[in-house]
Amino acid sequence: MSIKAVFFDLGGVIVRTEFQAPREQLAERLGMEYDDLNRIVFDSETGRRASIGEISSEDHWNSVIKRLKRPVSELAAIRDEFFAGDIVDRTLVDYIRSLRGKYKTGLISNAWGDLRDFIVREKFDDAFDKMIISAEVGAMKPEPRIFQIALEQFGVSPNEAVFVDDFLINVEGCEKVGMQGIHFTDPEFALKLLKKLLSTE
């Protein structure tokens, strides 16, 4: 069965924290460890709830600010500083665009409800036929449900789809539903694996 759909994760794949310094400086300014700051933003209970659409991204950030014991007036500045070292891999985005027409291209991302606005603002929403965002569909990777939703939206069988993600647990999750998975550890290597897979079609 040939591949008809190619899905990509966002954080850690298309958008990566290439520069740790801004987040390190923020953690230092707040008198805490870098990993602890990361945990409060990404792995807290409100972060999880925002990821499945139970609360808004704004509600989550209000909770983060409270936990950091900072005034709400600093919210925007802290959020901007936290993400200041992130870059959008435009080369990868261009490659995804180049697949359109021959393949259906999609995003499967564990993310808060403001992700779609970010992608539109950064002008790469045109790289995807559809975007499956956990906060919008109420399911998160590595649960089978989010992959099933993606396959249903694209009208493809699991064995007609491949998914690229930086977390091995998510790659294993997609493989459990019958998709092919590529573990993203480095952009060049991941693209080499993907191109090889697509060229054998």
Side-chain angles (χ1 to χ4, degrees):
M1 189 74 76
S2 62
I3 298 292
K4 292 181 180 173
V6 185
F7 294 99
F8 294 84
D9 172 38
L10 185 95
V13 177
I14 296 168
V15 177
R16 301 190 300 274
T17 306
E18 292 288 333
F19 307 102
Q20 263 76 35
R23 204 172 291 179
E24 283 170 353
Q25 286 160 7
L26 175 63
E28 200 174 313
R29 191 160 62 76
L30 294 169
M32 63 197 304
E33 294 295 323
Y34 178 94
D35 289 344
D36 292 335
L37 176 59
N38 256 355
R39 267 193 289 276
I40 287 172
V41 174
F42 292 124
D43 300 327
S44 61
E45 178 60 17
T46 56
R48 189 197 65 80
R49 290 182 66 205
S51 293
I52 52 172
E54 285 185 358
I55 61 171
S56 69
S57 172
E58 207 59 32
D59 287 342
H60 167 53
W61 274 102
N62 282 327
S63 168
V64 168
I65 288 298
K66 219 173 268 180
R67 288 187 67 182
L68 295 176
K69 298 180 172 59
R70 307 305 299 172
V72 175
S73 58
E74 289 183 24
L75 191 154
I78 285 175
R79 183 169 51 196
D80 289 349
E81 197 175 342
F82 184 85
F83 290 116
D86 288 11
I87 63 106
V88 176
D89 187 336
R90 300 287 172 183
T91 305
L92 179 53
V93 169
D94 286 342
Y95 173 71
I96 298 169
R97 282 195 187 103
S98 77
L99 294 175
R100 289 197 68 184
K102 193 174 179 194
Y103 304 95
K104 293 177 179 180
T105 61
L107 184 79
I108 303 177
S109 179
N110 285 353
W112 310 320
D114 57 356
L115 178 65
R116 191 176 290 268
D117 289 343
F118 166 79
I119 291 170
V120 169
R121 200 165 60 243
E122 289 292 325
K123 298 184 171 59
F124 64 95
D125 53 309
D126 64 317
F128 308 107
D129 289 293
K130 289 182 188 295
M131 295 186 275
I132 294 85
I133 297 167
S134 64
E136 296 178 357
V137 299
M140 284 174 73
K141 300 173 294 184
E143 296 164 12
R145 185 72 194 123
I146 194 166
F147 299 113
Q148 288 157 354
I149 290 166
L151 295 167
E152 283 162 18
Q153 287 196 17
F154 276 57
V156 295
S157 305
N159 58 358
E160 294 175 322
V162 59
F163 176 54
V164 181
D165 196 293
D166 61 316
F167 279 102
L168 193 54
I169 191 170
N170 295 336
V171 173
E172 290 166 349
C174 87
E175 290 172 342
K176 279 177 186 164
V177 301
M179 297 167 71
Q180 294 198 58
I182 291 176
H183 185 208
F184 184 99
T185 52
D186 161 87
E188 284 179 23
F189 186 61
L191 281 187
K192 192 176 166 186
L193 291 176
L194 181 58
K195 286 173 183 174
K196 190 177 174 188
L197 176 67
L198 297 179
S199 70
T200 57
E201 291 299 312

